[in-house]
Amino acid sequence: MISSARRTRPTMIVTTLIIAAMIMVATLLAVPTETARAQPGKATAPLPGYRLAWSDEFEGSTLETDDWYYRESEKAICSNSPDNVSVSDGSLKIALKREARNGMDYTCGGVISKLGFGYGYYETRAELWGEQGFHSALWTTGLSDAMPDTPDYKGPNNRVNEIDGFEIDSHAPTRIQHHSHWFTPSHVGNQGGIYEGPDSSDGYHTYGFEWLPNEIRFYVDGVLARTQPYAGPHGLQSIWLTTLGYTAPVDESDLPGVTSWEYFRYFAPTDDGNGSTPDSVYVDNGDSGYAETGGWATTDEAFGFQDRQTRRAADPSATAAWTPKLRAAGTYEVSVWNPSFLKTGHTAARYTIEHAGGRTEAVVNQVTAGQRWVSLGAYAFTPDAGQGVKVAGDPSGQGTLRADAVRFTPTVVVDDAGPGYTETGSWAGSATLTGWRGTATRYASASSATARWTPELAQGGRYAVYAWTPGHPENTTGARFTVNHAGGRAVVESDGVTDRWTSLGTYEFGAGTAGWVELGKDTGVTGLLRADAVKFVPVPAGDVRPPTRVHGTVASTPSTGDAAVTWTWREGVGPKPAGYHVYLDGQRVTWQPIRRESFRLHGFRPGQRHQLTVTAVDSAGRESAPATEAYVRTPADTVAPAAPTGLTGEAANESAILYWTQNTEVDLLGYHVYADGRRVTDEPVGHPADPDFTRLGFKIDNLANGTDHQLEVRAVDLSGHESAAATVSVRPLPMTIIGVTDEGYTEQGTWTASSVAGWLRSKTRTSNVATATAEWRPTLEAGTYEVYAWVPRVAGNSTPAARFTVTHADGTTALEFDQTAGSGGWERLGRFDFAAGTDGFVSIANAAGRSYLRTNTVKFIPVT
């Protein structure tokens, strides 16, 4: 920290703190409480800075259906069935069986947690199957009423993020895939990679991942296998343990096959000093004290502190300012909520803090900081002096500036470069290993060395005490902190947490300088002591009481199918709470306590009754008893969805393929498709959980070539209403179509299967070998043909120059396509004459000689 007494206009770069901040997101599912099936005595956290918050050790003989949904519906090549899930011999077992059900040749299964989980460390220990056909995964995503996997779920749509803790195909049991996706404001694939690990079928192995605000860390058997930047939006998501039939042909020699899961454990972050207190003062966007200049717009594409209503700058000169209404003069830690998980965020958001000592500036990269509170430092403020925080986009950066809330928390910080810090023994400074505020830190090797932080406290009372320890491989594992407080002295062993605040406990202190914290180590203990800062945060005593007068209201928008529920309440009698937690049907929907006495949640299904309640939360995270419940019923839906738009038809041999734009209704279930007045879909297709469905095409078979067919698509909502029809006429034509699994497709060099979907969700192939080639060779009658190729595209790791070469009767013609930009789709290669037979063909090569070349389908359409 830079003292304002010595410098009035410092500029600091706020570094990304790799921490698991305790963060709330407004449109989310429940999070486990301290007592919810947690078994603290049974498992210790594999990583420092976490505590066991919830687990299922899969003991007994049945699945705990109060905690888990069975996965249902059809996926890949199997039908998910509760019959394939069992618990025995201390493990969860998921079977793949050869039995026909719901149009599939195999049955499979999985479980989905009813609770949602956020930032933290996730772990399972599993023994998987080793013969071809299985796809097993530990992953997170939220739930939606439109998703067929959990038919019993009737709550709001909270499908926000997907983290694939592992995905393993049984024919490649050592290839462990790690990826992530998110679904707001639209589907974004955050491509990961493959880790060559142990054979997942040779016994039990441990798989875990650490979800942080700015990145995801994947572990296999305790080894860090991959660090994935950009964690995406924070949302409390369900955990999924699943096994699918996935890769044909399935090896049926030993079916039924079984995967075994010994446990699932979720470890929540320990107290990181980043929480709220009853004395914290907030200024949120839209509150009194918040002001803007220039053009701004409200957006729900990023998540705010208390809701999804954040602000986005519309021009480069725009600024936003937060002026708090402080109760008393003093030192306050200033934290800004970074609402941006998007790569489009501003890379140099310059925050100017006007305080009693002058002006300090801090620059935050909104892209890499993660969705969390970011501390800007601690400063002295005077009430009603116009002091506060202002943000603008610095010209050195680029991207969209976003603004939400700023928090001012009474705090006394003693930094290693400020008053109140003293040392004994030999210490040295480190300018390269920075601390809390990006400034130099201190280190010592001798056991006789100590560092002491002595605050000057204006008032006596209870204070939560935190220390910041810079991380370094040479740090001692035997550091201890001694806290001298009004009731005596407490010795706290270092918990190994570095590069974030770690709690030393809560104690009574008298006013003045009698209290202190001292860092040291015992004689003979090796390794370096590291010193930076200690902070003292006042927290009141007493138990908070339940809120009163909980009330719920419903507002529906029939045209969008959205029903929103708003909770309101009043503060209870007794000590002021740090915030509130909100519950829906007995499940908690807030991660970090919110401060407002209201909460709004969208995406409810029509015609449902819900129970609402609220608890008060103190500084330590303890909750009061719940308030008296309120009940609401969402109104019945009487309005059909809008007719689909953008419908186009494409001819194929005795078939037609339809493409259209996805509807935006919140209560969209899917679509029914009609051919010549006859409905061809048994159930609605293309539900919102499959955002690429309408882009990749829907095929209608058994149509006569050379005849115009009238085709319709109608949207269907969750209440069963159908929209008016979008119509198109298609005349099927004879043609030759060759995909990567068809005869006529061949490869040279090393190629592998890809998860990128092709035309009609067909399989694609990929190679990162510069000399690899592939070709599509049809058997044709002599004539003229239009030739098209479906070009798969993935940003980031695809080739920018996929060269297609058409060999035809008049020679060769080459065209190049960038596979990094845009979406996959048909590209016209041209009109060519071909001789009869197999002399004509299309080949592909990587003209750039780098990254991944991708293949899918080529079609040859005769010109009549």
Side-chain angles (χ1 to χ4, degrees), residues 167-449:
E167 292 184 278
I168 299 176
D169 295 317
S170 58
H171 66 273
T174 64
R175 293 170 62 83
I176 303 168
Q177 302 173 56
H178 298 128
H179 303 287
S180 71
H181 313 256
W182 53 85
F183 306 97
T184 182
S186 60
H187 178 255
V188 176
N190 191 25
Q191 190 73 18
I194 295 174
Y195 173 72
E196 284 290 344
D199 185 338
S200 57
S201 67
D202 67 3
Y204 280 94
H205 294 279
T206 302
Y207 306 91
F209 65 91
E210 186 181 10
W211 185 7
L212 300 167
N214 61 321
E215 65 187 20
I216 308 162
R217 300 174 182 174
F218 298 95
Y219 293 85
V220 178
D221 286 336
V223 175
L224 178 62
R226 181 177 185 81
T227 299
Q228 181 83 4
Y230 302 110
H234 182 274
L236 301 180
Q237 305 290 269
S238 295
I239 193 75
W240 299 51
L241 308 176
T242 59
T243 292
L244 298 172
Y246 196 77
T247 309
V250 175
D251 185 342
E252 300 182 3
S253 56
D254 293 315
L255 293 187
V258 175
T259 59
S260 299
W261 311 72
E262 195 171 88
Y263 59 78
F264 166 70
R265 296 170 185 162
Y266 167 71
F267 298 87
T270 54
D271 183 1
D272 61 7
N274 209 27
S276 303
T277 74
D279 294 326
S280 296
V281 176
Y282 294 88
V283 183
D284 206 343
N285 76 85
D287 289 350
S288 173
Y290 176 80
E292 297 172 343
T293 65
W296 288 82
T298 298
T299 175
D300 64 357
E301 66 187 8
F303 290 85
F305 156 55
Q306 302 190 100
D307 51 34
R308 288 189 63 175
Q309 299 299 304
T310 60
R311 299 287 285 170
R312 177 180 62 196
D315 65 69
S317 63
T319 68
W322 298 261
T323 304
K325 187 71 173 175
L326 301 177
R327 302 178 185 89
T331 302
Y332 292 78
E333 182 176 5
V334 179
S335 300
V336 58
W337 181 269
N338 185 55
S340 183
F341 59 85
L342 301 165
K343 296 180 183 180
T344 57
H346 206 287
T347 58
R350 181 173 293 274
Y351 291 89
T352 302
I353 304 98
E354 296 280 357
H355 49 86
R359 175 182 296 173
T360 303
E361 293 182 333
V363 176
V364 175
N365 185 331
Q366 293 187 323
V367 175
T368 60
Q371 185 185 300
R372 62 182 178 91
W373 287 109
V374 177
S375 176
L376 304 182
Y379 309 94
F381 287 90
T382 303
D384 302 320
Q387 297 161 3
V389 177
K390 182 177 181 179
V391 68
D394 191 87
S396 66
Q398 59 184 356
T400 300
L401 184 68
R402 291 184 170 86
D404 185 53
V406 174
R407 181 180 67 192
F408 302 80
T409 299
T411 306
V412 176
V413 179
V414 181
D415 194 272
D416 63 353
Y421 177 79
T422 56
E423 298 171 344
T424 63
S426 179
W427 287 79
S430 174
T432 56
L433 187 63
T434 56
W436 172 54
R437 295 305 315 129
T439 54
T441 59
R442 306 284 289 170
Y443 68 94
S445 60
S447 299
S448 58

Side-chain angles (χ1 to χ4, degrees), residues 801-818:
R803 178 177 294 163
F804 288 84
T805 301
V806 183
T807 299
H808 48 85
D810 300 318
T812 60
T813 301
L815 299 92
E816 292 183 5
F817 297 96
D818 184 353

Side-chain angles (χ1 to χ4, degrees), residues 823-835:
S823 301
W826 289 113
E827 297 288 352
R828 184 176 181 271
L829 303 184
R831 177 179 289 194
F832 308 100
D833 293 329
F834 290 90

Side-chain angles (χ1 to χ4, degrees), residues 515-677:
W516 44 259
V517 173
E518 186 173 273
L519 171 66
K521 63 179 181 179
D522 293 332
T523 302
V525 174
T526 59
L528 298 179
L529 291 170
R530 299 275 177 184
D532 183 48
V534 171
K535 71 176 180 179
F536 302 78
V537 182
V539 292
D543 295 329
V544 293
R545 303 294 299 276
T548 62
R549 299 169 61 187
V550 175
H551 180 67
T553 58
V554 179
S556 62
T557 309
S559 61
T560 64
D562 188 17
V565 174
T566 299
W567 287 249
T568 58
W569 60 91
R570 293 291 181 267
E571 181 181 323
V573 177
K576 184 177 180 61
Y580 302 94
H581 276 313
V582 178
Y583 287 77
L584 173 68
D585 296 329
Q587 303 278 31
R588 200 167 95 193
V589 298
T590 45
W591 174 240
Q592 177 170 284
I594 62 172
R595 199 54 172 275
R596 293 174 180 157
E597 293 179 354
S598 65
F599 182 80
R600 184 177 176 87
L601 197 58
H602 287 265
F604 284 82
R605 178 174 179 169
Q608 300 292 313
R609 185 173 186 264
H610 295 283
Q611 179 198 78
L612 317 178
T613 192
V614 182
T615 63
V617 186
D618 68 11
S619 301
R622 295 185 296 262
E623 294 184 60
S624 71
T628 302
E629 302 90 346
Y631 292 86
V632 295
R633 181 177 292 276
T634 54
D637 182 13
T638 59
V639 178
T645 60
L647 178 65
T648 60
E650 171 185 300
N653 188 34
E654 297 183 339
S655 61
I657 292 85
L658 302 181
Y659 308 89
W660 63 93
T661 302
Q662 181 81 292
N663 280 46
T664 59
E665 286 88 358
V666 173
D667 64 340
L668 179 70
L669 177 60
Y671 305 87
H672 275 312
V673 180
Y674 295 78
D676 300 323

Side-chain angles (χ1 to χ4, degrees), residues 43-68:
T44 56
L47 300 174
Y50 293 96
R51 58 172 178 81
L52 181 65
W54 194 90
S55 73
D56 195 331
E57 305 296 319
F58 299 121
E59 298 171 338
S61 58
T62 58
L63 182 72
E64 293 284 351
T65 53
D66 286 344
D67 299 326
W68 301 94

